[in-house]
């Protein structure tokens, strides 16, 4: 079958707090994509779930995914101020409200915890709630990451890859998942960029998991090859 390109499956909100959901997602995805997925881990979910205290969970992630990304530090409410996204995303816009130096300190703490858990720092960063604040490609190297995965693009200091992202955990109301699915489908229809499935633990409880698995199978049947964030930045052969 001729490949139509590459696509990405990325598990967000990976934390021991969602151990059961993480295992269920990996179990169902493994027969479809194998290890070719990215997992965005939160070093200390809401300040109560440090990765280093849950070694079995860390081993699970390391042994089942080809790539691990840094997903904020605590993944909780911004330290000051608020905005519509703060309310809609139920306070997960951690990077908003931080100045550049505070952003550096937050990522440094996240990388320290990440390195303690996995033996080396993360190369890629995904902002909680897609709100990256000062984490932009121009600052990426200074902040200690190589590339930043966003909703509409994957960016490094050297390259920008457009993305067509599906996501189903879009905030406080479950029905917003249908909006997130529609945005991804529309982006793919207009050939916006590489398909990305941004999946979350709440997708299981909200009933979107069968739809997500069906979409994964559809992309595979269309000739897309599963990849990682780093893989999307590499030229296709």
């Amino acid at each position: 079958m001729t490949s139509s390109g590459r696509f990405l499956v990325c598990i967000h909100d990976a934390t021991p707090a969602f151990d059961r959901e993480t295992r269920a997602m990996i179990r169902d995805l493994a027969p479809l994509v194998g290890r070719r997925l990215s997992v965005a881990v939160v070093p200390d979910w809401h300040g109560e779930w440090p990765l280093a205290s849950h070694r079995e969970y860390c081993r699970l992630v390391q042994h089942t995914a080809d790539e691990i990304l840094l997903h904020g530090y605590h993944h909780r409410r911004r330290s000051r101020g608020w905005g519509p996204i703060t309310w809609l995303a139920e306070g997960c816009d951690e990077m908003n409200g931080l100045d550049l130096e505070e952003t550096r300190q937050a990522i440094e703490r996240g990388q320290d915890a990440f390195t303690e858990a996995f033996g080396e720092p993360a190369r890629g960063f995904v902002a909680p709630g897609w709100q990256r604040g000062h984490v932009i490609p121009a600052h990426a190297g200074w902040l200690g990451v190589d590339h930043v995965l966003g909703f509409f693009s994957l960016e490094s200091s050297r390259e920008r890859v457009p993305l067509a992202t599906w996501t189903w955990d879009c905030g406080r109301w479950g029905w917003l998942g249908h909006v997130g699915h529609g945005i991804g489908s529309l982006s793919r229809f207009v050939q916006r960029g590489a398909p990305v499935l941004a999946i979350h633990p709440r997708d299981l409880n909200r009933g979107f998991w069968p739809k997500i698995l069906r979409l994964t199978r559809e992309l595979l049947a269309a000739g897309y090859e599963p990849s990682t964030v780093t893989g999307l930045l590499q030229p296709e052969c």
Side-chain angles (χ1 to χ4, degrees), residues 11-18 39-47 49-51 57 68-76 94 110 113-114 118 126 128:
I11 298 176
H12 290 224
D13 295 357
T15 163
F18 297 127
V39 177
V41 301
V42 182
D44 190 4
W45 179 264
H46 290 198
W49 293 87
L51 287 174
Y57 183 85
I68 310 174
L69 310 171
L70 181 66
H71 192 30
Y73 179 36
H74 289 314
H75 201 296
R76 63 183 178 190
E94 177 183 13
F114 188 102
F118 300 111
V126 187

Side-chain angles (χ1 to χ4, degrees), residues 78-80 93-107 125-128 130-145 147-148 155:
R78 59 198 290 178
S79 59
R80 61 176 176 269
D93 57 335
E94 177 183 13
M95 308 312 296
N96 281 339
L98 301 179
D99 62 26
L100 185 55
E101 176 57 24
E102 290 168 334
T103 300
R104 185 194 65 79
Q105 292 174 5
I107 292 183
F125 179 83
V126 187
W130 306 106
Q131 301 300 297
R132 64 188 189 182
H134 288 284
V135 188
I136 60 176
H139 299 154
W142 181 69
L143 293 171
V145 294
H147 42 264
V148 181
E155 299 180 67

Side-chain angles (χ1 to χ4, degrees), residues 4-69:
S4 295
R6 293 176 288 206
F7 79 104
L8 173 69
V9 177
C10 184
I11 298 176
H12 290 224
D13 295 357
T15 163
F18 297 127
D19 181 278
R20 179 183 62 82
E21 292 87 345
T22 304
R23 291 178 185 277
M25 289 188 284
I26 290 173
R27 178 199 66 210
D28 291 347
L29 288 169
L32 301 175
V33 301
R35 288 176 49 95
R36 302 298 290 171
L37 76 159
S38 298
V39 177
V41 301
V42 182
D44 190 4
W45 179 264
H46 290 198
E48 298 176 356
W49 293 87
L51 287 174
S53 297
H54 300 272
R55 294 294 184 180
E56 184 177 349
Y57 183 85
C58 295
R59 285 192 293 270
L60 166 72
V61 173
Q62 281 186 302
H63 293 162
T64 55
D66 273 347
E67 183 175 57
I68 310 174
L69 310 171

